[in-house]
Amino acid sequence: MDSLARPNIVGNHIPPLVIMGVSGCGKSTIGALLGAQLGVTFADGDDYHPSANKLKMREGVPLTDDDRWPWLAEIGKALAGSAAGGPAIVACSALKRKYRDFLRSYAPDAVFVHLTGSAGTISERINARVHEYMPATLLASQLETLEAPEADERHISVAVNNSPDWIVGQVLEELGRQKLGREQLVREQLGDEQQDHRQLVR
């Protein structure tokens, strides 16, 4: 992964990244690796949950929207402060479109990295780990809740049935492609504006 050095892949500007997906997909692992590779701060969204949310999940009770909004607000504030030294990468399930829209209200240029996998694959991963308060029984409700990012959302989807290093490499490559695409669009817009200006001068 040394060949995927930060300046060559994404340049100096790194958009806020939200590593999203259901429990057990590897959000924290990938987020931490991306943070190390890009030289930016990573934060686990689980740390922003109030104790009441953690207790509900520990007991196998799915969270409601009323439970999630204050939690998402804290994550949104963290992402909004990334330019001032706050975390530039946060692991957060962000399962519904409205949750992602809410986070974008704080960080409009955020890119959502969706870690995808079959129920069987993710169930195996959950059963092989120990989590403070997220039992495997909540996976079904999360999969039912999940709304995959749509075409009009800035996102990157990567399958989890690959090594963490491979996944991080794919994310960095796609970030580079998106950056080049945005730069090309800006150049085209500037070219159109200059042409309009020349026509007005004539």
Side-chain angles (χ1 to χ4, degrees), residues 101-133:
D101 287 343
F102 184 70
L103 292 174
R104 275 188 288 266
S105 72
Y106 289 90
D109 59 340
V111 175
F112 290 81
V113 178
H114 184 201
L115 303 180
T116 67
S118 68
T121 296
I122 295 176
S123 180
E124 289 178 4
R125 294 165 64 103
I126 290 178
N127 291 329
R129 71 172 191 172
V130 176
H131 194 280
E132 178 188 358
Y133 51 79

CSV table of all heavy atoms in Angstrom, one decimal, residues 101-133:
chain,number,residue,atom,x,y,z
A,101,ASP,N,-28.3,12.2,4.6
A,101,ASP,CA,-28.6,13.6,4.3
A,101,ASP,C,-28.4,14.5,5.5
A,101,ASP,O,-27.9,15.6,5.4
A,101,ASP,CB,-30.1,13.7,3.9
A,101,ASP,CG,-30.4,13.2,2.5
A,101,ASP,OD1,-29.4,13.0,1.7
A,101,ASP,OD2,-31.5,12.9,2.2
A,102,PHE,N,-28.7,14.0,6.7
A,102,PHE,CA,-28.6,14.8,7.9
A,102,PHE,C,-27.1,15.0,8.2
A,102,PHE,O,-26.7,16.1,8.5
A,102,PHE,CB,-29.2,14.0,9.1
A,102,PHE,CG,-29.1,14.7,10.4
A,102,PHE,CD1,-29.9,15.8,10.7
A,102,PHE,CD2,-28.3,14.3,11.4
A,102,PHE,CE1,-29.9,16.5,11.9
A,102,PHE,CE2,-28.2,14.9,12.7
A,102,PHE,CZ,-29.0,16.0,12.9
A,103,LEU,N,-26.2,14.0,8.0
A,103,LEU,CA,-24.8,14.2,8.1
A,103,LEU,C,-24.2,15.2,7.1
A,103,LEU,O,-23.4,16.0,7.4
A,103,LEU,CB,-24.1,12.8,8.0
A,103,LEU,CG,-24.3,11.9,9.2
A,103,LEU,CD1,-23.7,10.5,8.9
A,103,LEU,CD2,-23.8,12.4,10.5
A,104,ARG,N,-24.8,15.1,5.9
A,104,ARG,CA,-24.3,16.0,4.8
A,104,ARG,C,-24.7,17.5,5.2
A,104,ARG,O,-24.1,18.4,4.7
A,104,ARG,CB,-24.9,15.6,3.5
A,104,ARG,CG,-24.1,14.6,2.8
A,104,ARG,CD,-24.6,14.4,1.3
A,104,ARG,NE,-25.9,13.7,1.3
A,104,ARG,CZ,-26.0,12.3,1.2
A,104,ARG,NH1,-24.9,11.6,1.1
A,104,ARG,NH2,-27.2,11.8,1.2
A,105,SER,N,-25.7,17.7,6.0
A,105,SER,CA,-26.1,19.0,6.4
A,105,SER,C,-25.0,19.7,7.2
A,105,SER,O,-24.9,20.9,7.3
A,105,SER,CB,-27.4,19.1,7.2
A,105,SER,OG,-27.3,18.5,8.5
A,106,TYR,N,-24.2,18.8,7.8
A,106,TYR,CA,-23.0,19.3,8.6
A,106,TYR,C,-21.7,19.3,7.7
A,106,TYR,O,-20.9,20.2,7.9
A,106,TYR,CB,-22.8,18.4,9.8
A,106,TYR,CG,-23.8,18.5,10.9
A,106,TYR,CD1,-24.9,17.7,11.0
A,106,TYR,CD2,-23.6,19.4,12.0
A,106,TYR,CE1,-25.8,17.8,12.0
A,106,TYR,CE2,-24.5,19.6,13.0
A,106,TYR,CZ,-25.6,18.7,13.0
A,106,TYR,OH,-26.5,18.9,14.0
A,107,ALA,N,-21.6,18.3,6.9
A,107,ALA,CA,-20.4,18.2,6.0
A,107,ALA,C,-20.8,17.9,4.6
A,107,ALA,O,-20.9,16.7,4.2
A,107,ALA,CB,-19.5,17.0,6.6
A,108,PRO,N,-21.2,18.9,3.8
A,108,PRO,CA,-21.8,18.7,2.5
A,108,PRO,C,-20.9,17.9,1.5
A,108,PRO,O,-21.4,17.3,0.6
A,108,PRO,CB,-22.0,20.2,2.0
A,108,PRO,CG,-22.0,21.0,3.2
A,108,PRO,CD,-21.1,20.3,4.2
A,109,ASP,N,-19.6,18.0,1.7
A,109,ASP,CA,-18.7,17.3,0.8
A,109,ASP,C,-18.3,15.9,1.2
A,109,ASP,O,-17.4,15.3,0.7
A,109,ASP,CB,-17.4,18.1,0.5
A,109,ASP,CG,-16.6,18.4,1.7
A,109,ASP,OD1,-17.2,18.3,2.8
A,109,ASP,OD2,-15.4,18.7,1.6
A,110,ALA,N,-19.0,15.4,2.3
A,110,ALA,CA,-18.7,14.0,2.8
A,110,ALA,C,-18.8,13.0,1.7
A,110,ALA,O,-19.8,13.0,0.9
A,110,ALA,CB,-19.5,13.7,4.0
A,111,VAL,N,-17.9,12.0,1.8
A,111,VAL,CA,-18.0,10.8,0.9
A,111,VAL,C,-18.3,9.6,1.8
A,111,VAL,O,-17.7,9.4,2.8
A,111,VAL,CB,-16.7,10.6,0.1
A,111,VAL,CG1,-16.8,9.3,-0.7
A,111,VAL,CG2,-16.4,11.7,-0.8
A,112,PHE,N,-19.3,8.8,1.4
A,112,PHE,CA,-19.8,7.7,2.2
A,112,PHE,C,-19.1,6.4,1.6
A,112,PHE,O,-19.4,6.1,0.4
A,112,PHE,CB,-21.3,7.5,2.3
A,112,PHE,CG,-21.9,8.6,3.1
A,112,PHE,CD1,-22.1,9.9,2.6
A,112,PHE,CD2,-22.3,8.4,4.4
A,112,PHE,CE1,-22.7,10.9,3.4
A,112,PHE,CE2,-22.8,9.3,5.2
A,112,PHE,CZ,-23.0,10.6,4.7
A,113,VAL,N,-18.3,5.7,2.4
A,113,VAL,CA,-17.7,4.5,1.9
A,113,VAL,C,-18.6,3.3,2.4
A,113,VAL,O,-18.6,3.0,3.6
A,113,VAL,CB,-16.3,4.4,2.4
A,113,VAL,CG1,-15.6,3.0,2.0
A,113,VAL,CG2,-15.4,5.5,2.0
A,114,HIS,N,-19.3,2.7,1.5
A,114,HIS,CA,-20.2,1.6,1.9
A,114,HIS,C,-19.6,0.3,1.8
A,114,HIS,O,-19.2,-0.2,0.7
A,114,HIS,CB,-21.5,1.7,1.0
A,114,HIS,CG,-22.5,0.7,1.4
A,114,HIS,ND1,-23.5,0.3,0.5
A,114,HIS,CD2,-22.8,0.0,2.6
A,114,HIS,CE1,-24.3,-0.6,1.1
A,114,HIS,NE2,-23.9,-0.8,2.4
A,115,LEU,N,-19.4,-0.4,3.0
A,115,LEU,CA,-18.8,-1.8,3.0
A,115,LEU,C,-20.0,-2.8,2.9
A,115,LEU,O,-20.8,-2.8,3.7
A,115,LEU,CB,-18.1,-2.0,4.3
A,115,LEU,CG,-16.9,-0.9,4.5
A,115,LEU,CD1,-16.2,-1.3,5.9
A,115,LEU,CD2,-15.9,-0.9,3.4
A,116,THR,N,-20.0,-3.5,1.8
A,116,THR,CA,-21.1,-4.4,1.5
A,116,THR,C,-20.7,-5.9,1.6
A,116,THR,O,-19.6,-6.2,1.5
A,116,THR,CB,-21.6,-4.2,0.0
A,116,THR,OG1,-20.6,-4.6,-0.9
A,116,THR,CG2,-21.9,-2.7,-0.2
A,117,GLY,N,-21.7,-6.7,1.9
A,117,GLY,CA,-21.5,-8.1,2.0
A,117,GLY,C,-22.8,-8.8,2.2
A,117,GLY,O,-23.8,-8.2,2.6
A,118,SER,N,-22.8,-10.1,2.0
A,118,SER,CA,-24.1,-10.9,2.2
A,118,SER,C,-24.3,-11.1,3.6
A,118,SER,O,-23.4,-10.9,4.5
A,118,SER,CB,-23.9,-12.3,1.5
A,118,SER,OG,-22.9,-13.1,2.2
A,119,ALA,N,-25.6,-11.4,4.0
A,119,ALA,CA,-25.9,-11.7,5.4
A,119,ALA,C,-25.1,-12.8,6.0
A,119,ALA,O,-24.6,-12.7,7.1
A,119,ALA,CB,-27.4,-12.0,5.5
A,120,GLY,N,-24.8,-13.8,5.2
A,120,GLY,CA,-24.0,-14.9,5.7
A,120,GLY,C,-22.6,-14.5,6.0
A,120,GLY,O,-22.0,-14.9,7.0
A,121,THR,N,-22.0,-13.8,5.1
A,121,THR,CA,-20.6,-13.3,5.3
A,121,THR,C,-20.5,-12.5,6.5
A,121,THR,O,-19.6,-12.7,7.4
A,121,THR,CB,-20.1,-12.5,4.1
A,121,THR,OG1,-20.1,-13.4,2.9
A,121,THR,CG2,-18.7,-12.0,4.3
A,122,ILE,N,-21.4,-11.5,6.7
A,122,ILE,CA,-21.3,-10.6,7.8
A,122,ILE,C,-21.6,-11.3,9.1
A,122,ILE,O,-21.0,-11.0,10.2
A,122,ILE,CB,-22.2,-9.4,7.6
A,122,ILE,CG1,-21.7,-8.6,6.4
A,122,ILE,CG2,-22.3,-8.5,8.8
A,122,ILE,CD1,-22.5,-7.4,5.9
A,123,SER,N,-22.6,-12.2,9.0
A,123,SER,CA,-22.9,-13.0,10.2
A,123,SER,C,-21.7,-13.8,10.8
A,123,SER,O,-21.5,-13.8,12.0
A,123,SER,CB,-24.1,-13.9,9.9
A,123,SER,OG,-24.4,-14.7,11.1
A,124,GLU,N,-21.0,-14.4,9.8
A,124,GLU,CA,-19.8,-15.1,10.2
A,124,GLU,C,-18.8,-14.2,10.9
A,124,GLU,O,-18.1,-14.5,11.9
A,124,GLU,CB,-19.1,-15.7,9.0
A,124,GLU,CG,-19.9,-16.9,8.5
A,124,GLU,CD,-19.3,-17.5,7.2
A,124,GLU,OE1,-18.2,-17.0,6.8
A,124,GLU,OE2,-19.8,-18.4,6.6
A,125,ARG,N,-18.6,-13.0,10.4
A,125,ARG,CA,-17.7,-12.0,10.9
A,125,ARG,C,-18.1,-11.6,12.3
A,125,ARG,O,-17.3,-11.5,13.2
A,125,ARG,CB,-17.6,-10.8,10.0
A,125,ARG,CG,-17.0,-11.1,8.7
A,125,ARG,CD,-17.2,-9.9,7.7
A,125,ARG,NE,-16.5,-8.7,8.1
A,125,ARG,CZ,-15.4,-8.2,7.6
A,125,ARG,NH1,-14.8,-8.9,6.6
A,125,ARG,NH2,-14.9,-7.1,8.0
A,126,ILE,N,-19.4,-11.4,12.5
A,126,ILE,CA,-19.9,-11.0,13.8
A,126,ILE,C,-19.7,-12.1,14.9
A,126,ILE,O,-19.3,-11.8,16.0
A,126,ILE,CB,-21.4,-10.6,13.8
A,126,ILE,CG1,-21.6,-9.3,13.0
A,126,ILE,CG2,-22.0,-10.5,15.2
A,126,ILE,CD1,-23.1,-8.9,12.8
A,127,ASN,N,-20.0,-13.3,14.5
A,127,ASN,CA,-19.8,-14.4,15.4
A,127,ASN,C,-18.4,-14.7,15.8
A,127,ASN,O,-18.1,-15.3,16.8
A,127,ASN,CB,-20.4,-15.7,14.8
A,127,ASN,CG,-21.9,-15.6,14.7
A,127,ASN,OD1,-22.6,-15.0,15.5
A,127,ASN,ND2,-22.5,-16.2,13.7
A,128,ALA,N,-17.4,-14.2,15.0
A,128,ALA,CA,-16.0,-14.4,15.2
A,128,ALA,C,-15.4,-13.3,16.1
A,128,ALA,O,-14.2,-13.3,16.4
A,128,ALA,CB,-15.3,-14.5,13.9
A,129,ARG,N,-16.2,-12.3,16.5
A,129,ARG,CA,-15.7,-11.2,17.2
A,129,ARG,C,-16.4,-11.0,18.5
A,129,ARG,O,-17.5,-11.6,18.8
A,129,ARG,CB,-15.8,-9.9,16.4
A,129,ARG,CG,-17.2,-9.4,16.3
A,129,ARG,CD,-17.3,-8.0,15.7
A,129,ARG,NE,-18.7,-7.5,15.8
A,129,ARG,CZ,-19.0,-6.2,15.5
A,129,ARG,NH1,-18.1,-5.4,15.0
A,129,ARG,NH2,-20.3,-5.8,15.7
A,130,VAL,N,-15.8,-10.1,19.4
A,130,VAL,CA,-16.5,-9.8,20.7
A,130,VAL,C,-16.7,-8.3,20.6
A,130,VAL,O,-15.8,-7.5,20.4
A,130,VAL,CB,-15.6,-10.2,21.9
A,130,VAL,CG1,-16.3,-9.7,23.2
A,130,VAL,CG2,-15.4,-11.7,21.9
A,131,HIS,N,-18.0,-7.8,20.8
A,131,HIS,CA,-18.3,-6.4,20.8
A,131,HIS,C,-18.9,-6.0,22.1
A,131,HIS,O,-19.7,-6.8,22.7
A,131,HIS,CB,-19.2,-6.1,19.6
A,131,HIS,CG,-19.4,-4.6,19.3
A,131,HIS,ND1,-20.2,-3.8,20.1
A,131,HIS,CD2,-18.8,-3.8,18.4
A,131,HIS,CE1,-20.1,-2.5,19.6
A,131,HIS,NE2,-19.2,-2.5,18.6
A,132,GLU,N,-18.6,-4.8,22.6
A,132,GLU,CA,-19.1,-4.4,23.9
A,132,GLU,C,-20.6,-4.5,24.0
A,132,GLU,O,-21.1,-4.9,25.0
A,132,GLU,CB,-18.6,-2.9,24.1
A,132,GLU,CG,-19.1,-2.4,25.4
A,132,GLU,CD,-18.8,-0.9,25.5
A,132,GLU,OE1,-18.2,-0.3,24.6
A,132,GLU,OE2,-19.2,-0.3,26.6
A,133,TYR,N,-21.4,-4.1,23.0
A,133,TYR,CA,-22.8,-4.0,23.1
A,133,TYR,C,-23.6,-4.3,21.9
A,133,TYR,O,-24.8,-4.0,21.8
A,133,TYR,CB,-23.2,-2.6,23.7
A,133,TYR,CG,-22.6,-1.4,22.9
A,133,TYR,CD1,-23.2,-1.0,21.7
A,133,TYR,CD2,-21.5,-0.8,23.3
A,133,TYR,CE1,-22.7,0.0,20.9
A,133,TYR,CE2,-21.0,0.3,22.6
A,133,TYR,CZ,-21.5,0.6,21.4
A,133,TYR,OH,-21.0,1.7,20.7
